[in-house]
Amino acid sequence: MSNEYSSTEIPGSHHIDAFLEMLSAERGAARNTLDAYARDLKDFAAFLASRNKEVAGAQTMDIRDYLEGLQSSGLSASTAARRLSAIRQFHGFLYADGIRADDPCSAIEGPRRARPLPKTLTIEEVDALLAAARLVEDGRSQEESVRAYKRARLVCLMEVLYATGLRVSELVGLPLSAAKGDGRFLTVSGKGGRERLVPLSEAARHAIDDYLPLRVQRLGDSVSPWLFPSRGRQGHLTRHRFAQLLKDLAIAAKLDPNRVSPHTLRHAFASHLLANGADLRAVQQMLGHADISTTQIYTHVLDDRLKTLVEEHHPLAKKDTGS
């Protein structure tokens, strides 16, 4: 296991390292997932160390006290639930591997939390963002060729994101080869290395076609395997930089930048598809959700659409109630 997740200063942390190695090797967990589990479990292990206990020796009361401490410190129920989930999976791993003879989480009930509806944007707001992207000017760039390249890149990013609902890490990390196959689809490598085909809209295909020649002009003889290359360490546009560009674009489109993020555009993609009649399973496949239950956060859209269908088409709904 890479030392980047190691917590040797915490007693018993080798068990955490073994758990993270299992997640990586057996479940194909993404780096971001491993980072999140490592942070949550290190925090729990530090709490136990203050009680002179190792993380693998936690008892049910220790876990309850830890959760009460999170609540007292003002952490949200969703954060506490996420940390409890990490602790549950960790102790399930210890029990399955025979490191512990019991599971201290079995008697613990998770913090109650209402599942919030995903933040999204209207079709008109997305249209405003796309229109603003086509007019954006980079004041730091003196050369028109540079401005044209950055404008085409931003339009391409926006059109592809709204057409596909990709995760931001999937979008900025698209290989150049993804845009050179069948123009009707993108091949996306998602969580756990699972590949999926995502259909492209005509607008997204045109945006890619407009961007690629300018990309060639910009790079010259340089070779980059990424669709959206950058001089940074990762070699491609970062998630953070794209989020910044999106905030600037929201301001240009006269939208509240706090409501606009790569994730709200992913939600807009799913919500708008379902509102216009798409099948929930098809949306699940395009989003790359491993489980349909994750996609079901959008069922409020289906509820609204079904209500409208009944009101418009059911014969009883059309009866004049005043007669």
Side-chain angles (χ1 to χ4, degrees):
M1 185 69 195
S2 169
N3 288 334
E4 64 188 306
Y5 300 115
S6 180
S7 340
T8 52
E9 72 279 4
I10 299 174
S13 62
H14 58 285
H15 292 303
I16 296 178
D17 295 337
F19 171 66
L20 296 172
E21 185 173 359
M22 180 276 294
L23 289 180
S24 176
E26 297 182 16
R27 300 186 190 175
R31 182 189 180 92
N32 291 342
T33 302
L34 294 172
D35 286 343
Y37 275 114
R39 283 192 300 269
D40 289 345
L41 291 173
K42 285 178 187 180
D43 188 76
F44 178 55
F47 168 80
L48 291 171
S50 70
R51 297 186 165 195
N52 296 317
K53 290 186 177 182
E54 291 192 358
V55 65
Q59 299 301 313
T60 299
M61 187 54 67
D62 294 319
I63 300 170
R64 285 188 174 135
D65 289 347
Y66 175 69
L67 294 174
E68 287 177 8
L70 295 181
Q71 184 178 13
S72 300
S73 66
L75 262 68
S76 67
S78 60
T79 300
R82 190 198 70 223
R83 291 194 181 177
L84 176 57
S85 175
I87 294 168
R88 281 191 197 282
Q89 294 190 60
F90 172 66
H91 282 289
F93 161 76
L94 296 180
Y95 179 73
D97 270 29
I99 298 170
R100 284 193 62 144
D102 65 331
D103 183 350
C105 296
S106 58
I108 293 191
E109 188 174 329
R112 294 172 180 254
R113 55 173 179 160
R115 193 166 194 181
L117 294 178
K119 295 178 182 178
T120 187
L121 300 167
T122 66
I123 293 175
E124 292 74 22
E125 287 171 332
V126 174
D127 285 343
L129 286 170
L130 293 172
R134 292 184 173 85
L135 299 173
V136 73
E137 291 288 347
D138 186 342
R140 294 171 300 178
S141 302
Q142 300 300 317
E143 298 180 26
E144 173 55 31
S145 61
V146 176
R147 293 199 296 269
Y149 164 76
K150 290 187 174 181
R151 190 184 307 119
R153 183 185 66 176
L154 184 57
V155 171
C156 187
L157 284 161
M158 292 295 296
E159 289 286 5
V160 170
L161 178 56
Y162 184 52
T164 61
L166 297 184
R167 300 176 180 92
V168 63
S169 56
E170 295 170 344
L171 175 70
V172 297
L174 279 172
L176 180 60
S177 58
K180 291 194 170 181
D182 187 333
R184 297 170 301 169
F185 297 91
L186 276 184
T187 302
V188 181
S189 180
K191 285 188 175 181
R194 292 186 295 269
E195 284 196 347
R196 67 186 190 276
L197 280 179
V198 183
L200 280 174
S201 66
E202 186 175 353
R205 291 200 301 271
H206 287 322
I208 292 173
D209 290 341
D210 291 341
Y211 164 68
L212 287 178
L214 295 176
R215 179 188 176 281
V216 172
Q217 291 177 20
R218 174 71 173 161
L219 292 182
D221 294 331
S222 301
V223 177
S224 171
W226 308 108
L227 181 57
F228 303 109
S230 168
R231 295 196 185 108
R233 180 174 56 85
Q234 293 180 341
H236 59 70
L237 190 73
T238 64
R239 297 181 303 163
H240 180 65
R241 179 59 183 146
F242 177 55
Q244 287 179 327
L245 292 172
L246 198 49
K247 297 293 185 187
D248 293 341
L249 193 58
I251 294 170
K254 296 182 170 52
L255 300 176
D256 180 356
N258 293 320
R259 294 184 55 241
V260 179
S261 70
H263 213 58
T264 55
L265 278 168
R266 176 169 160 89
H267 288 321
F269 160 81
S271 297
H272 297 171
L273 274 180
L274 289 168
N276 285 281
D279 177 74
L280 191 65
R281 289 242 175 232
V283 174
Q284 174 199 355
Q285 291 174 354
M286 285 185 278
L287 289 173
H289 288 161
D291 195 313
I292 190 67
S293 64
T294 309
T295 320
Q296 284 173 343
I297 59 172
Y298 301 105
T299 52
H300 69 286
V301 176
L302 291 175
D303 293 341
D304 291 343
R305 182 159 60 86
L306 289 172
K307 181 180 177 182
T308 301
L309 283 172
V310 170
E311 289 175 348
E312 291 181 354
H313 301 291
H314 197 285
L316 293 179
K318 294 182 177 181
K319 291 181 72 174
D320 183 359
T321 54
S323 60

mmCIF file of all heavy atoms in Angstrom, residues 104-123:
data_model
loop_
_atom_site.group_PDB
_atom_site.id
_atom_site.type_symbol
_atom_site.label_atom_id
_atom_site.label_comp_id
_atom_site.label_asym_id
_atom_site.label_seq_id
_atom_site.Cartn_x
_atom_site.Cartn_y
_atom_site.Cartn_z
ATOM 1 N N PRO A 104 -18.332 -4.149 16.634
ATOM 2 C CA PRO A 104 -18.894 -3.195 17.594
ATOM 3 C C PRO A 104 -19.922 -2.244 16.980
ATOM 4 O O PRO A 104 -20.617 -1.540 17.716
ATOM 5 C CB PRO A 104 -17.660 -2.422 18.071
ATOM 6 C CG PRO A 104 -16.697 -2.506 16.938
ATOM 7 C CD PRO A 104 -16.913 -3.872 16.343
ATOM 8 N N CYS A 105 -20.021 -2.227 15.663
ATOM 9 C CA CYS A 105 -20.980 -1.330 15.001
ATOM 10 C C CYS A 105 -22.370 -1.939 14.874
ATOM 11 O O CYS A 105 -23.319 -1.237 14.494
ATOM 12 C CB CYS A 105 -20.478 -0.956 13.605
ATOM 13 S SG CYS A 105 -18.959 -0.012 13.599
ATOM 14 N N SER A 106 -22.496 -3.226 15.156
ATOM 15 C CA SER A 106 -23.760 -3.917 14.876
ATOM 16 C C SER A 106 -24.926 -3.358 15.673
ATOM 17 O O SER A 106 -26.075 -3.423 15.233
ATOM 18 C CB SER A 106 -23.611 -5.420 15.148
ATOM 19 O OG SER A 106 -23.224 -5.642 16.495
ATOM 20 N N ALA A 107 -24.654 -2.786 16.842
ATOM 21 C CA ALA A 107 -25.741 -2.278 17.689
ATOM 22 C C ALA A 107 -25.913 -0.770 17.565
ATOM 23 O O ALA A 107 -26.668 -0.170 18.323
ATOM 24 C CB ALA A 107 -25.463 -2.638 19.149
ATOM 25 N N ILE A 108 -25.230 -0.162 16.609
ATOM 26 C CA ILE A 108 -25.260 1.299 16.500
ATOM 27 C C ILE A 108 -26.202 1.737 15.389
ATOM 28 O O ILE A 108 -26.140 1.231 14.264
ATOM 29 C CB ILE A 108 -23.853 1.858 16.249
ATOM 30 C CG1 ILE A 108 -23.014 1.620 17.484
ATOM 31 C CG2 ILE A 108 -23.901 3.331 15.888
ATOM 32 C CD1 ILE A 108 -21.713 2.321 17.513
ATOM 33 N N GLU A 109 -27.065 2.672 15.729
ATOM 34 C CA GLU A 109 -27.984 3.238 14.745
ATOM 35 C C GLU A 109 -27.383 4.536 14.239
ATOM 36 O O GLU A 109 -26.900 5.361 15.027
ATOM 37 C CB GLU A 109 -29.346 3.510 15.398
ATOM 38 C CG GLU A 109 -30.410 3.926 14.407
ATOM 39 C CD GLU A 109 -31.774 4.040 15.072
ATOM 40 O OE1 GLU A 109 -32.024 3.292 16.044
ATOM 41 O OE2 GLU A 109 -32.554 4.900 14.652
ATOM 42 N N GLY A 110 -27.403 4.715 12.940
ATOM 43 C CA GLY A 110 -26.807 5.905 12.344
ATOM 44 C C GLY A 110 -27.601 7.161 12.635
ATOM 45 O O GLY A 110 -28.788 7.097 12.963
ATOM 46 N N PRO A 111 -26.946 8.327 12.544
ATOM 47 C CA PRO A 111 -27.654 9.587 12.754
ATOM 48 C C PRO A 111 -28.738 9.787 11.698
ATOM 49 O O PRO A 111 -28.522 9.493 10.521
ATOM 50 C CB PRO A 111 -26.546 10.647 12.621
ATOM 51 C CG PRO A 111 -25.458 9.973 11.855
ATOM 52 C CD PRO A 111 -25.544 8.519 12.201
ATOM 53 N N ARG A 112 -29.882 10.247 12.126
ATOM 54 C CA ARG A 112 -30.980 10.461 11.186
ATOM 55 C C ARG A 112 -30.714 11.704 10.365
ATOM 56 O O ARG A 112 -30.329 12.735 10.886
ATOM 57 C CB ARG A 112 -32.308 10.621 11.942
ATOM 58 C CG ARG A 112 -32.723 9.349 12.650
ATOM 59 C CD ARG A 112 -33.923 9.593 13.523
ATOM 60 N NE ARG A 112 -34.290 8.331 14.180
ATOM 61 C CZ ARG A 112 -35.334 7.614 13.828
ATOM 62 N NH1 ARG A 112 -36.106 8.014 12.844
ATOM 63 N NH2 ARG A 112 -35.611 6.494 14.462
ATOM 64 N N ARG A 113 -30.926 11.598 9.089
ATOM 65 C CA ARG A 113 -30.729 12.749 8.216
ATOM 66 C C ARG A 113 -31.696 12.670 7.046
ATOM 67 O O ARG A 113 -31.953 11.595 6.494
ATOM 68 C CB ARG A 113 -29.296 12.819 7.687
ATOM 69 C CG ARG A 113 -28.839 11.553 6.986
ATOM 70 C CD ARG A 113 -27.473 11.735 6.345
ATOM 71 N NE ARG A 113 -27.029 10.497 5.703
ATOM 72 C CZ ARG A 113 -26.101 10.461 4.779
ATOM 73 N NH1 ARG A 113 -25.519 11.560 4.370
ATOM 74 N NH2 ARG A 113 -25.740 9.317 4.240
ATOM 75 N N ALA A 114 -32.219 13.803 6.691
ATOM 76 C CA ALA A 114 -33.084 13.868 5.511
ATOM 77 C C ALA A 114 -32.199 13.952 4.279
ATOM 78 O O ALA A 114 -31.211 14.694 4.274
ATOM 79 C CB ALA A 114 -33.974 15.097 5.595
ATOM 80 N N ARG A 115 -32.544 13.179 3.291
ATOM 81 C CA ARG A 115 -31.739 13.217 2.079
ATOM 82 C C ARG A 115 -32.139 14.430 1.250
ATOM 83 O O ARG A 115 -33.262 14.501 0.749
ATOM 84 C CB ARG A 115 -31.951 11.937 1.269
ATOM 85 C CG ARG A 115 -30.917 11.786 0.160
ATOM 86 C CD ARG A 115 -30.922 10.399 -0.409
ATOM 87 N NE ARG A 115 -29.734 10.175 -1.211
ATOM 88 C CZ ARG A 115 -29.496 9.037 -1.848
ATOM 89 N NH1 ARG A 115 -30.347 8.036 -1.753
ATOM 90 N NH2 ARG A 115 -28.406 8.881 -2.555
ATOM 91 N N PRO A 116 -31.242 15.412 1.132
ATOM 92 C CA PRO A 116 -31.629 16.631 0.425
ATOM 93 C C PRO A 116 -31.767 16.381 -1.071
ATOM 94 O O PRO A 116 -31.101 15.513 -1.638
ATOM 95 C CB PRO A 116 -30.464 17.585 0.706
ATOM 96 C CG PRO A 116 -29.287 16.677 0.926
ATOM 97 C CD PRO A 116 -29.846 15.431 1.569
ATOM 98 N N LEU A 117 -32.659 17.157 -1.678
ATOM 99 C CA LEU A 117 -32.770 17.080 -3.131
ATOM 100 C C LEU A 117 -31.514 17.685 -3.742
ATOM 101 O O LEU A 117 -30.960 18.655 -3.220
ATOM 102 C CB LEU A 117 -34.007 17.852 -3.607
ATOM 103 C CG LEU A 117 -35.358 17.286 -3.169
ATOM 104 C CD1 LEU A 117 -36.477 18.193 -3.669
ATOM 105 C CD2 LEU A 117 -35.563 15.866 -3.673
ATOM 106 N N PRO A 118 -31.041 17.130 -4.855
ATOM 107 C CA PRO A 118 -29.830 17.677 -5.473
ATOM 108 C C PRO A 118 -30.058 19.090 -5.981
ATOM 109 O O PRO A 118 -31.122 19.414 -6.509
ATOM 110 C CB PRO A 118 -29.573 16.705 -6.642
ATOM 111 C CG PRO A 118 -30.888 16.072 -6.925
ATOM 112 C CD PRO A 118 -31.597 15.992 -5.605
ATOM 113 N N LYS A 119 -29.048 19.954 -5.779
ATOM 114 C CA LYS A 119 -29.123 21.306 -6.316
ATOM 115 C C LYS A 119 -28.943 21.230 -7.828
ATOM 116 O O LYS A 119 -28.042 20.557 -8.324
ATOM 117 C CB LYS A 119 -28.032 22.173 -5.697
ATOM 118 C CG LYS A 119 -28.212 22.379 -4.201
ATOM 119 C CD LYS A 119 -27.076 23.201 -3.625
ATOM 120 C CE LYS A 119 -27.239 23.373 -2.122
ATOM 121 N NZ LYS A 119 -26.121 24.127 -1.516
ATOM 122 N N THR A 120 -29.790 21.925 -8.536
ATOM 123 C CA THR A 120 -29.730 21.842 -9.986
ATOM 124 C C THR A 120 -30.014 23.205 -10.589
ATOM 125 O O THR A 120 -30.130 24.211 -9.872
ATOM 126 C CB THR A 120 -30.720 20.775 -10.515
ATOM 127 O OG1 THR A 120 -30.520 20.612 -11.918
ATOM 128 C CG2 THR A 120 -32.156 21.163 -10.221
ATOM 129 N N LEU A 121 -30.071 23.274 -11.895
ATOM 130 C CA LEU A 121 -30.323 24.502 -12.633
ATOM 131 C C LEU A 121 -31.466 24.272 -13.603
ATOM 132 O O LEU A 121 -31.697 23.142 -14.046
ATOM 133 C CB LEU A 121 -29.070 24.930 -13.410
ATOM 134 C CG LEU A 121 -27.809 25.214 -12.592
ATOM 135 C CD1 LEU A 121 -26.591 25.316 -13.507
ATOM 136 C CD2 LEU A 121 -27.955 26.497 -11.788
ATOM 137 N N THR A 122 -32.156 25.328 -13.958
ATOM 138 C CA THR A 122 -33.208 25.212 -14.964
ATOM 139 C C THR A 122 -32.579 25.131 -16.352
ATOM 140 O O THR A 122 -31.394 25.460 -16.542
ATOM 141 C CB THR A 122 -34.151 26.421 -14.910
ATOM 142 O OG1 THR A 122 -33.412 27.601 -15.298
ATOM 143 C CG2 THR A 122 -34.725 26.620 -13.513
ATOM 144 N N ILE A 123 -33.384 24.721 -17.309
ATOM 145 C CA ILE A 123 -32.901 24.671 -18.697
ATOM 146 C C ILE A 123 -32.488 26.072 -19.150
ATOM 147 O O ILE A 123 -31.471 26.249 -19.836
ATOM 148 C CB ILE A 123 -33.994 24.089 -19.615
ATOM 149 C CG1 ILE A 123 -34.228 22.614 -19.278
ATOM 150 C CG2 ILE A 123 -33.603 24.252 -21.090
ATOM 151 C CD1 ILE A 123 -35.369 21.974 -20.044
#
